Amino acid sequence: MAAPAVLASAHAIRAQESWPPVFEVGRSQFTVVRPRAAMPQLRLQDPNGRDAVVTAKPGRITLVNFWATWCAACRLDLPTLARLAGSRPDRLDIVAICTDTKDLRKIRAFVGGLAVQNLACYVDAYGAAAQASTEMFSIVGMPITYLVGTSGHVEGYIAGAPEWLSPAGARLLQFYREQA
C-alpha cells in the first residue's frame, strides 16, 4: 500500500515543478495564460519620437509593462522595473509602454519625475500595443505586466506594482529562465 502513496507524491512534486511559483501583490497574483501565443512585434516610439520595433529575443525573458500617466500605482511600478532592469541587464528585457497619451513631452516629464533609469519606455504612437491588447495583452488593470518566456511566448501576467526584486519575484523569473 505504501508504493501508491510514494508514486502519488512523486507525481505531485513533478506537477509542482512544472507550474510557476506563486507571485502576488495585494489582491493580484501572477496568472498563467493558456493557450500561449507568440509575442508580436510592436511598432512603437521612444520618448524622443524615434521609431522602435520591439519584440521578444530568443533565450531571454521579456516583461511587457503597460502603464499610464494618471496611474498612481505606476509611480511605484516603473521605478521597481527600472531597478530590476539595472540588476539583470544580461538576462532580462523590460518594455514599458505608455497607454494613455501620445504626448511625448508629458511622458518625458512623467518618467523624468520618477527618476527612472535603465528602463526602456515607449509610447504606442501607431496603435500596435492597442491592437495587441485586444489580441493577447488584455489590460485588466493598471499597471499590468506580461511575462514573455525564453521561447517568445506570453506565459502570464500580474496587475499592480509587484516587488520583482523580492524572493518570490526572483523565483518566478528563475522558473521561466529554466524553461528554455
Side-chain angles (χ1 to χ4, degrees), residues 64-103:
V64 181
N65 175 267
F66 295 95
W67 61 277
T69 58
W70 53 260
C71 169
C74 297
R75 292 182 178 278
L76 301 171
D77 196 38
L78 292 173
T80 298
L81 289 170
R83 285 192 308 276
L84 178 64
S87 72
R88 295 186 173 95
D90 59 329
R91 300 190 212 155
L92 180 68
D93 295 316
I94 300 174
V95 178
I97 304 170
C98 181
T99 61
D100 71 317
T101 183
K102 295 178 184 178
D103 182 340

Side-chain angles (χ1 to χ4, degrees), residues 46-66:
D46 72 13
N48 296 314
R50 290 185 297 258
D51 285 356
V53 175
V54 175
T55 188
K57 295 177 185 145
R60 294 174 62 93
I61 292 173
T62 304
L63 297 179
V64 181
N65 175 267
F66 295 95

Side-chain angles (χ1 to χ4, degrees), residues 16-176:
Q16 287 175 344
E17 291 172 355
S18 66
W19 201 252
V22 173
F23 182 47
E24 58 190 358
V25 58
R27 296 180 297 193
S28 296
Q29 75 174 32
F30 183 77
T31 303
V32 173
V33 175
R34 294 294 183 261
R36 295 174 15 202
M39 179 183 160
Q41 287 189 344
L42 301 174
R43 184 172 173 228
L44 305 167
Q45 276 187 346
D46 72 13
N48 296 314
R50 290 185 297 258
D51 285 356
V53 175
V54 175
T55 188
K57 295 177 185 145
R60 294 174 62 93
I61 292 173
T62 304
L63 297 179
V64 181
N65 175 267
F66 295 95
W67 61 277
T69 58
W70 53 260
C71 169
C74 297
R75 292 182 178 278
L76 301 171
D77 196 38
L78 292 173
T80 298
L81 289 170
R83 285 192 308 276
L84 178 64
S87 72
R88 295 186 173 95
D90 59 329
R91 300 190 212 155
L92 180 68
D93 295 316
I94 300 174
V95 178
I97 304 170
C98 181
T99 61
D100 71 317
T101 183
K102 295 178 184 178
D103 182 340
L104 298 177
R105 238 177 306 153
K106 184 176 182 179
I107 293 168
R108 283 192 304 266
F110 181 85
V111 172
L114 299 176
V116 295
Q117 302 201 3
N118 304 317
L119 187 62
C121 290
Y122 298 95
V123 60
D124 188 19
Y126 304 107
Q131 175 68 28
S133 75
T134 63
E135 296 171 1
M136 75 175 41
F137 295 127
S138 297
I139 299 178
V140 296
M142 199 57 75
I144 187 165
T145 303
Y146 278 82
L147 187 149
V148 179
T150 57
S151 67
H153 289 87
V154 177
E155 298 289 347
Y157 66 90
I158 187 166
E163 182 50 63
W164 287 99
L165 293 168
S166 70
R171 279 192 300 274
L172 182 72
L173 294 172
Q174 186 60 36
F175 174 83
Y176 282 107

